[in-house]
């Protein structure tokens, strides 16, 4: 049954690319494909999780800066309250700004901009100009014949090694090493690490820095928010309710049936989400920092792929952030300092 549904999806996807169909027919086929997807499918998560992220940031920022901080620091004076509110607002702006950069900055592979397989063969000087054209056509057909629907090559013994150019059957073109196709983004991303559902974009060569900075500020903001939320709950919320309201769903149900104020359930639920977010962002920040320091991607670490990169730690950091990398924690600098790395030809990698 699953094989039949999968084949039907492929038929719908291929038919939707048919230039002979009208726009109305393509939309009808697209809707038919979407109806087959479960509610918790990756496509739906990719659609709604950014909204959840933005809503949480805005709600926590509003309640924290406008209600929690004035209450907790009432005895310290208005100047202290304004300073702490400014720090929290700065963290919120950094999260949203870097989220926007992760969302908009693409690491997609563009042959016209980044170089082609022909240029790679020319650099290797392994064949003449006439042989190059024949070689790319033959290898493209070989890789395409063994390719899967997600754009990666099959697991046959004839598959080329990891550190070589491969053929993407979806984009219909060769792609460089460490470049992988994403079904959700529908493109090949250079040095693809993973797909971020919170930003609807793949993390790769160009936006890795923004994702790292976003995780840093998310982690720091979650810790600050949680540290302030706990005393606010025990001093302001619980005296008017009960300790059983510390359970998030109990507080929500009590509010629904009129036994508690809406703010009680919202504050307690937000505190639990902050605690979970601390665990999540800490793990993600550790994972991405480990990848940067090792000069690898998450895919390469998880699959134990050997990468012989002899660069120093400073060079690996600049490969992700560019020069003056600390400035990225204050202002996105992708437009000024580009990653110090060749994401197509990889001259610093010895394989």
């Amino acid at each position: 049954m699953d094989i039949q549904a999968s084949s039907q999806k492929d038929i719908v996807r291929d038919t939707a690319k048919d230039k002979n169909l009208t726009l109305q027919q393509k939309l009808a086929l697209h809707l038919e494909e979407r109806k087959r997807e479960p509610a918790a499918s990756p496509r739906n998560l990719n659609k709604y999780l950014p909204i959840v992220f933005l809503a949480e940031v805005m709600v926590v920022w509003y309640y924290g800066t406008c209600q929690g901080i004035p209450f907790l620091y009432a005895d310290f004076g208005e100047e202290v309250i304004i300073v702490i509110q400014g720090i929290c607002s700065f963290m919120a702006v950094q999260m949203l700004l870097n989220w926007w950069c992760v969302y908009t900055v693409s690491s997609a592979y563009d042959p016209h901009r980044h170089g082609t397989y022909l240029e790679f063969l020319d650099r290797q000087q392994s064949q003449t100009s006439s042989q190059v054209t024949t070689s790319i056509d033959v290898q493209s057909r070989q890789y395409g014949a063994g390719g899967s629907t997600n754009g990666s090559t099959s697991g046959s013994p004839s598959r080329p090694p990891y550190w070589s150019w491969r053929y993407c059957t979806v984009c219909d073109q060769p792609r460089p090493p460490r470049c992988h196709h994403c079904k959700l983004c529908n493109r090949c991303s250079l040095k693809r690490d993973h797909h971020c559902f919170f930003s609807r974009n793949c993390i790769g060569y160009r936006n890795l820095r923004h994702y790292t900075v976003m995780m840093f500020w998310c982690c720091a903001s979650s810790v600050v928010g949680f540290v302030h939320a706990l005393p606010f709950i025990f001093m302001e919320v619980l005296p008017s309710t009960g300790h059983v309201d510390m359970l998030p769903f109990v507080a929500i149900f009590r509010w629904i049936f009129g036994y508690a104020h809406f703010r009680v359930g919202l504050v307690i639920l937000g505190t639990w989400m902050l605690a979970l977010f601390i665990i999540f962002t800490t793990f993600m920040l550790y994972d991405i920092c480990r990848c940067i320091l090792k000069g690898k991607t998450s895919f390469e670490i998880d699959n134990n792929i050997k990468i012989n990169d002899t660069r120093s730690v400073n060079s690996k950091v600049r490969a992700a952030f560019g020069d003056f990398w600390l400035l990225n924690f204050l202002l996105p600098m992708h437009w000024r300092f580009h990653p110090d790395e060749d994401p197509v030809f990889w001259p610093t990698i010895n394989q």
Side-chain angles (χ1 to χ4, degrees), residues 138 148 184 200 274 298 334 340:
V138 171
S148 61
L184 297 175
R200 299 181 187 173
L274 282 173
S298 297
H334 66 274
D340 187 14

Side-chain angles (χ1 to χ4, degrees), residues 221-241:
S221 301
S222 300
V223 172
V224 172
F226 185 77
V227 168
H228 286 83
L230 281 182
F232 178 77
I233 289 177
F234 282 101
M235 296 171 61
E236 177 70 6
V237 177
L238 290 184
S240 60
T241 60

Side-chain angles (χ1 to χ4, degrees), residues 47-310:
K47 180 178 180 181
Y48 295 112
L49 282 183
I51 301 175
V52 173
F53 174 80
L54 294 176
E56 181 186 1
V57 171
M58 297 305 297
V59 170
V60 171
W61 170 82
Y62 172 76
Y63 272 91
T65 57
C66 299
Q67 296 192 25
I69 291 176
F71 173 80
L72 294 173
Y73 295 91
D75 297 335
F76 292 86
E78 186 176 355
E79 293 79 7
V80 175
I81 294 176
I82 293 176
V83 170
I84 298 178
Q85 286 178 330
I87 294 174
C88 294
S89 298
F90 171 79
M91 291 183 173
V93 169
Q94 287 293 335
M95 283 190 293
L96 296 176
L97 183 60
N98 283 278
W99 174 88
W100 177 253
C101 289
V102 175
Y103 179 77
T104 56
V105 176
S106 174
S107 301
Y109 168 59
D110 182 2
H112 300 288
R113 177 182 177 185
H114 300 114
T116 64
Y117 185 55
L118 290 174
E119 296 178 13
F120 172 77
L121 293 179
D122 288 341
R123 288 193 177 192
Q124 298 296 319
Q125 296 180 354
S126 59
Q127 297 176 350
T128 62
S129 300
S130 60
Q131 292 174 327
V132 167
T133 306
T134 305
S135 174
I136 183 62
D137 181 69
V138 171
Q139 293 195 29
S140 297
R141 293 179 183 274
Q142 289 177 348
Y143 300 168
S148 61
T149 56
N150 66 352
S152 63
T153 56
S154 65
S156 62
S158 60
R159 184 179 67 175
Y162 177 76
W163 209 264
S164 63
W165 285 66
R166 301 187 181 189
Y167 192 82
C168 179
T169 58
V170 178
C171 298
D172 193 24
Q173 64 182 7
R175 62 171 185 237
R178 310 179 94 177
C179 182
H180 303 279
H181 189 90
C182 177
K183 291 181 179 180
L184 297 175
C185 297
N186 196 27
R187 61 173 179 260
C188 291
S189 295
L190 295 168
K191 199 182 179 182
R192 182 180 182 272
D193 189 88
H194 68 280
H195 182 88
C196 178
F197 288 96
F198 290 101
S199 61
R200 299 181 187 173
N201 201 0
C202 279
I203 308 303
Y205 164 69
R206 293 194 65 223
N207 57 6
L208 177 65
R209 68 173 78 188
H210 302 304
Y211 176 80
T212 306
V213 175
M214 182 182 74
M215 286 295 105
F216 170 80
W217 286 116
C218 284
C219 183
S221 301
S222 300
V223 172
V224 172
F226 185 77
V227 168
H228 286 83
L230 281 182
F232 178 77
I233 289 177
F234 282 101
M235 296 171 61
E236 177 70 6
V237 177
L238 290 184
S240 60
T241 60
H243 287 80
V244 69
D245 285 333
M246 283 298 295
L247 300 175
F249 296 106
V250 172
I252 294 297
F253 283 131
R254 283 171 57 85
W255 164 72
I256 293 176
F257 292 104
Y259 291 101
H261 194 274
F262 170 71
R263 188 188 66 166
V264 175
L266 190 62
V267 171
I268 293 177
L269 180 62
T271 303
W272 277 97
M273 292 185 67
L274 282 173
L276 295 176
F277 215 57
I278 290 174
I279 299 174
F280 173 77
T281 55
T282 301
F283 172 78
M284 297 304 295
L285 182 61
Y286 166 77
D287 184 66
I288 201 65
C289 289
R290 179 184 60 163
C291 292
I292 293 175
L293 295 179
K294 288 187 176 183
K296 295 185 177 183
T297 64
S298 297
F299 174 83
E300 293 164 351
I301 292 179
D302 294 340
N303 290 275
N304 199 25
I305 297 176
K306 183 180 178 181
I307 303 295
N308 187 15
D309 190 346
T310 58

